[in-house]
């Protein structure tokens, strides 16, 4: 048997492993997290769920737009497990009107949604420069002139990244553009978190 015939299957196996490792490292290189959020997309056709983190990937599902019930609006909620380049990897999505009916699963599996269309409420006092309480504080919501203080006045425009419970957010606070990390956010659209 020639050496090439022996080495070729080994080469193919190694190449396949390299591709698998590259794909795994793409996944491993994600900002891994365990948070939830809700869709802010008002498009009547729903929020696109894509096969990967970007618009070049095919649409593999759509999350329903917000539903109206008794004068209240309830958005689709997603379970987020990672992020990459402003896109968030989800493994499920549900609709829930918080009334008598149970939550309905509307997406299950591996998909990606844009952070431009995801919401969480920011409840903490500080935004940090990195996902750590040891990182520099880049903004203090309570250190502001006048009576309007606190994260209640922060208007979230997009989620950018996540790591564990930490979320990188972008938005405005009384006209000031802000971008930073916080571990004090809430994924509930109907109440504040403890």
């Amino acid at each position: 048997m020639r050496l090439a015939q022996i080495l070729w299957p080994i080469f193919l196996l190694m190449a396949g492993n390299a591709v698998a490792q590259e794909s795994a490292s793409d996944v491993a290189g994600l900002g891994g997290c365990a948070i939830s959020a809700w869709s802010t997309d008002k498009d009547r056709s729903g929020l696109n769920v894509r096969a990967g983190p970007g618009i070049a990937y095919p649409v593999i599902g759509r999350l329903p737009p917000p539903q109206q019930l008794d004068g209240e609006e309830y958005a689709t909620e997603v379970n987020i497990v990672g992020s990459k380049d402003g896109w968030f990897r989800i493994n499920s999505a549900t609709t829930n009107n918080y009334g008598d009916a149970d939550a309905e699963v509307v997406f299950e599996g591996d998909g990606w949604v844009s952070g431009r269309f995801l919401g969480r409420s920011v409840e903490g006092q500080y935004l940090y420069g990195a996902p750590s309480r040891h990182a520099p504080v880049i903004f203090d919501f309570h250190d502001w002139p006048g009576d309007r203080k606190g994260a209640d006045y922060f208007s979230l425009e997009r989620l950018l990244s996540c790591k564990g419970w930490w979320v990188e957010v972008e938005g405005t606070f009384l006209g000031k553009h802000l971008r930073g990390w916080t571990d004090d956010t809430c994924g509930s659209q109907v109440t504040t978190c403890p």
Side-chain angles (χ1 to χ4, degrees):
M1 190 177 246
R2 293 180 17 188
L3 185 59
Q5 289 174 314
I6 295 169
L7 293 178
W8 185 247
I10 295 170
F11 170 77
L12 288 177
L13 180 61
M14 290 173 60
N17 283 343
V19 169
Q21 286 176 348
E22 183 177 324
S23 297
S25 70
D26 285 347
V27 172
L30 298 175
C33 45
I35 60 172
S36 62
W38 62 84
S39 169
T40 61
D41 193 354
K42 305 289 187 191
D43 189 327
R44 296 173 83 180
S45 63
L47 173 59
N48 289 336
V49 179
R50 295 189 177 269
I55 59 171
Y57 291 90
V59 174
I60 59 172
R62 286 199 170 79
L63 305 183
Q67 302 171 359
Q68 298 286 332
L69 181 68
D70 298 330
E72 296 292 330
E73 185 175 88
Y74 300 99
T76 300
E77 298 175 352
V78 296
N79 186 50
I80 298 171
V81 295
S83 67
K84 185 173 185 177
D85 301 330
W87 288 78
F88 289 79
R89 186 178 182 184
I90 66 171
N91 63 9
S92 67
T94 58
T95 57
N96 192 343
N97 65 18
Y98 295 93
D100 295 334
D102 291 334
E104 177 186 350
V105 176
V106 293
F107 180 84
E108 209 165 20
D110 191 34
W112 293 82
V113 293
S114 171
R116 291 184 310 122
F117 299 111
L118 292 177
R120 282 181 68 84
S121 59
V122 174
E123 297 182 346
Q125 180 175 348
Y126 304 112
L127 291 181
Y128 296 87
S132 166
R133 292 214 175 195
H134 301 292
V137 172
I138 59 173
F139 193 77
D140 180 345
F141 288 109
H142 293 181
D143 186 21
W144 192 257
D147 295 333
R148 297 189 296 171
K149 299 180 187 305
D152 289 345
Y153 295 100
F154 180 67
S155 176
L156 179 71
E157 294 168 3
R158 70 173 54 197
L159 302 182
L160 298 166
S161 189
C162 60
K163 184 175 182 180
W165 288 100
W166 287 86
V167 182
E168 185 180 18
V169 297
E170 183 175 52
T172 55
F173 178 77
L174 303 175
K176 181 177 179 60
H177 180 262
L178 298 173
R179 177 179 178 164
W181 289 87
T182 176
D183 66 346
D184 195 353
T185 61
C186 184
S188 173
Q189 59 185 313
V190 296
T191 186
T192 58
C193 297

